Amino acid sequence: GNSVTQMEGPVTLSEEAFLTINCTYTATGYPSLFWYVQYPGEGLQLLLKATKADDKGSNKGFEATYRKETTSFHLEKGSVQVSDSAVYFCALSPFHSGGYQKVTFGIGTKLQVIP
Amino acid sequence: DGGITQSPKYLFRKEGQNVTLSCEQNLNHDAMYWYRQDPGQGLRLIYYSQIVNDFQKGDIAEGYSVSREKKESFPLTVTSAQKNPTAFYLCASSQGQGVTEAFFGQGTRLTVV
């Protein structure tokens, strides 16, 4: 079956540090890949996505590149802020021409940014 | 503003009682989902619905029930058969028909006392 692997954390960084959160996946075919962010006490928000190999998703200074050869979708940001403190979920959705496509989520990585 | 609304934000239940969590969306989405979130386990799918009057079990449906009488609404009932109901519950919706970008509600934290 499909699976997503990411570290649980917490990842603790100082403000303005470089961020990498690793995500690797197992799936057949060409899934779509997502990063969601969850702020304390809230639901998840889509941060960025990529739908085919070598696509780069980007939003709010965050980036992730769909690497089929390494089955990875690592999240990066050049300079984190305290407001980036949240839990980050990597997710995949298998390719399907229509109908329900089950989204598989990783366990979430907690990021703590200290001033 | 369009969005998805869950209520209440916090809910307390005594053991042996059923409780219903509300989820409403005004995004005109066909598909709706219920997830359970526990520390260290990510999100697990409870039920999903692709169309009105139809729904399917997810990975952990035992002890839960849903209905989809209206496109906008997808309430979740946590029954007394659910052995460990204390968790954070998230409702989501998507356009369906191959579009999987999901929009989430703010969540309901259920505590059994």
Side-chain angles (χ1 to χ4, degrees):
Chain A
N2 299 327
S3 66
V4 174
T5 301
Q6 58 178 126
M7 64 181 296
E8 187 173 1
V11 174
T12 302
L13 296 173
S14 297
E15 205 165 23
E16 299 184 3
F18 185 86
L19 168 71
T20 299
I21 300 178
N22 289 341
C23 171
T24 57
Y25 68 89
T26 301
T28 56
Y30 297 88
S32 294
L33 301 174
F34 308 87
W35 277 102
Y36 284 85
V37 59
Q38 183 180 35
Y39 297 103
E42 297 186 6
L44 278 67
Q45 304 172 28
L46 180 67
L47 181 60
L48 52 85
K49 66 180 180 181
T51 57
K52 60 183 186 293
D54 299 325
D55 266 2
K56 177 185 284 187
S58 62
N59 186 25
K60 299 180 181 179
F62 291 89
E63 293 184 339
T65 301
Y66 189 162
R67 302 287 189 198
K68 186 158 180 67
E69 64 275 14
T70 54
T71 61
S72 65
F73 193 54
H74 304 323
L75 182 68
E76 296 181 336
K77 187 176 185 182
S79 175
V80 294
Q81 305 301 312
V82 172
S83 57
D84 294 326
S85 298
V87 179
Y88 292 83
F89 290 89
C90 186
L92 74 80
S93 175
F95 175 78
H96 198 282
S97 60
Y100 176 64
Q101 302 172 37
K102 181 182 175 182
V103 180
T104 299
F105 288 88
I107 62 171
T109 299
K110 184 174 183 178
L111 171 65
Q112 297 176 330
V113 181
I114 55 177
Chain B
D1 284 340
I4 182 164
T5 302
Q6 290 185 243
S7 61
K9 190 170 177 66
Y10 300 97
L11 189 57
F12 296 89
R13 187 195 90 175
K14 292 183 178 180
E15 283 193 25
Q17 288 182 336
N18 293 353
V19 64
T20 297
L21 283 60
S22 171
C23 178
E24 304 277 334
Q25 55 101 356
N26 60 3
L27 299 166
N28 200 33
H29 284 170
D30 289 319
M32 297 187 74
Y33 316 85
W34 275 105
Y35 291 91
R36 171 179 171 143
Q37 184 177 17
D38 296 284
Q41 297 196 50
L43 274 68
R44 293 182 289 169
L45 182 65
I46 304 172
Y47 269 97
Y48 65 96
S49 168
Q50 293 180 266
I51 196 168
V52 174
N53 291 323
D54 186 58
F55 48 84
Q56 306 295 328
K57 293 182 179 180
D59 300 319
I60 56 165
E62 184 175 352
Y64 300 97
S65 66
V66 293
S67 63
R68 187 86 186 276
E69 297 177 0
K70 299 186 299 181
K71 187 175 186 178
E72 304 79 20
S73 179
F74 192 42
L76 173 75
T77 297
V78 183
T79 75
S80 56
Q82 169 50 234
K83 298 305 179 188
N84 185 22
T86 295
F88 190 54
Y89 291 88
L90 287 162
C91 180
S93 70
S94 68
Q95 282 185 295
Q97 290 301 308
V99 177
T100 54
E101 177 180 332
F103 293 77
F104 283 80
Q106 297 283 74
T108 294
R109 184 165 298 280
L110 172 64
T111 303
V112 174
V113 297

